[in-house]
Amino acid sequence: MIRSVLAGTLASLVAAVAAVPALADTDIKFALDWKFEGPTAPYFVAIDKGYYKAEGLNVSIDTGAGSVSGIPRVAVGTHQLGFFDLNSVVRFRDQNPDKDVKVVMMLYDRPPFAIGTLKKTGIAKPKDLEGRVLGAPAADGAFAQWKAFVQANGIDESKVKIENVGFPVREPMLADGKVDAITGFTFSMHFNLLQKGIPADQIQMLVMSDHGLSLYGNGIIVNPDFLKNNPEAVKGFLRATIKGLQDTVKDPATAVKSVMKRYETGDEKTERERLELVLREHVVTPWVKQNGVGDVDPARLAKSVEQIGVTYEYKNKPFAIDVFTNKYLPPAADRKL
């Protein structure tokens, strides 16, 4: 009789558990700063290998139109997380002190901000830009650093003509000689110029971090309300992204295939080379090799906030602690590349 009662109770418990629906994954809309290109591989690898799913996350990824214009999408909650320029986040917070947007993981330890030009122009150093025409998209993260670059290199800004150009025509205008130089990310300009038939040995890049700027580049930012209400989801997103990045560093040729599944009109060889350039020059830096990906040097970040003040007049100047936190990152040992 006792066995019968126990069996009946157990059956009831099993039935009750079975009747409870499984918890749904947390939906995350992730905003990119630009198109689906080689450097976006870590996120798609994390999707394809189930790393996000294993963290209980249902992640979708949307393209963007530049490092500056996309930040409000995360700030207002249209997207929960995004990949944008830290320096632009600093300025956004200054203009919107009520929006507690933070970078929770740094990706581009060495920012790809650069002045792109051709060797035939004779522009070999920053001062050579005087007397020339610079094509710069208004929403470009590199152009946002222009005034600091000017000051750091003693450029007479009045002698440089700035022409506001759209992203699609930026490299074609340089290739056609309609401008003498352009602003942008190294890996975008370089490969776009190659596609315009410019030989690699004729492309000249003045990387801003090699010419006086101590800035960081793009990182992962998060909507403040989502962070407050879903801290474990943010931690899980970062863990899964780091796994995707680690796989990408180990095998870029395979990783880029996850991008090409979503970018069928692209050239796989070009995107693999673009990815490899980004990893080599901007992600896997000596500092990252020693300290792991995702974190920052607090002293350098504080200096960069000061340097942004050269480019931009603060009204509600944020502190470094306001714009970046490492609280949601896994231990350094788990972030090694």
Side-chain angles (χ1 to χ4, degrees):
M1 180 176 178
I2 293 174
R3 288 179 180 176
S4 177
V5 171
L6 289 176
T9 303
L10 181 60
S12 298
L13 288 173
V14 170
V17 170
V20 177
L23 293 176
D25 287 345
T26 301
D27 290 329
I28 289 181
K29 291 182 67 178
F30 184 67
L32 294 173
D33 62 332
W34 195 232
K35 299 179 290 186
F36 293 169
E37 294 182 332
T40 63
Y43 312 111
F44 293 120
V45 168
I47 288 177
D48 291 346
K49 290 196 170 184
Y51 295 152
Y52 292 130
K53 202 72 175 175
E55 295 287 353
L57 307 176
N58 180 35
V59 177
S60 60
I61 302 177
D62 293 326
T63 58
S67 292
V68 178
S69 60
I71 294 172
R73 290 192 286 165
V74 175
V76 301
T78 304
H79 291 76
Q80 287 73 43
L81 292 106
F83 178 66
F84 295 106
D85 169 39
L86 181 144
N87 311 286
S88 297
V89 171
V90 171
R91 287 188 291 272
F92 178 85
R93 284 190 57 115
D94 179 67
Q95 296 164 9
N96 304 272
D98 59 320
K99 303 293 186 184
D100 190 22
V101 179
K102 279 184 170 60
V103 177
V104 290
M105 177 177 167
M106 178 52 54
L107 264 294
Y108 291 166
D109 182 63
R110 181 177 185 251
F113 310 135
I115 306 294
T117 188
L118 305 180
K119 286 189 177 179
K120 67 180 182 181
T121 65
I123 299 173
K125 58 184 185 299
K127 284 283 286 182
D128 294 337
L129 290 165
E130 294 178 359
R132 305 303 184 95
V133 179
L134 178 67
D140 176 44
F143 182 59
Q145 322 310 326
W146 169 246
K147 289 188 180 295
F149 182 73
V150 163
Q151 186 188 79
N153 293 282
I155 299 170
D156 186 342
E157 190 175 10
S158 68
K159 294 181 179 179
V160 183
K161 181 181 178 181
I162 306 294
E163 186 166 338
N164 183 11
V165 302
F167 285 109
V169 300
R170 176 179 58 184
E171 287 84 5
M173 289 183 71
L174 176 59
D176 293 341
K178 294 179 180 178
V179 296
D180 300 303
I182 55 178
T183 66
F185 283 14
T186 54
F187 53 85
S188 292
M189 295 186 292
H190 181 83
F191 288 99
N192 290 344
L193 287 168
L194 288 180
Q195 291 174 350
K196 295 301 297 181
I198 305 297
D201 62 0
Q202 295 303 306
I203 300 172
Q204 181 88 6
M205 292 287 168
L206 303 180
V207 182
M208 292 183 176
S209 60
D210 293 339
H211 295 279
L213 297 194
S214 301
L215 306 176
Y216 280 95
N218 279 36
I220 294 175
I221 71 173
V222 62
N223 172 270
D225 292 333
F226 185 79
L227 180 62
K228 179 181 178 181
N229 297 324
N230 303 275
E232 294 306 315
V234 173
K235 291 178 182 179
F237 182 88
L238 299 185
R239 280 194 299 267
T241 299
I242 289 169
K243 289 179 181 178
L245 177 59
Q246 289 168 331
D247 288 354
T248 299
V249 171
K250 290 176 184 176
D251 189 358
T254 298
V256 80
K257 293 184 183 299
S258 286
V259 178
M260 304 316 299
K261 287 163 58 176
R262 284 95 174 170
Y263 183 28
E264 295 179 355
T265 60
D267 178 70
E268 184 171 330
K269 180 176 182 294
T270 296
E271 296 312 321
R272 187 187 72 247
E273 292 176 351
R274 194 195 308 268
L275 170 60
E276 290 170 346
L277 185 153
V278 168
L279 294 175
R280 181 176 65 251
E281 298 292 333
H282 305 298
V283 177
V284 191
T285 65
W287 192 91
V288 168
K289 288 180 180 178
Q290 181 176 349
N291 298 280
V293 70
D295 209 347
V296 301
D297 175 352
R300 177 183 161 193
L301 179 58
K303 183 178 179 180
S304 74
V305 172
E306 295 298 325
Q307 200 161 43
I308 292 169
V310 174
T311 303
Y312 169 88
E313 184 176 348
Y314 287 120
K315 294 180 182 178
N316 305 281
K317 180 182 175 183
F319 294 100
I321 195 173
D322 296 326
V323 297
F324 179 87
T325 177
N326 62 7
K327 179 180 176 181
Y328 303 91
L329 289 170
D334 297 337
R335 295 185 277 109
K336 294 290 186 177
L337 299 180

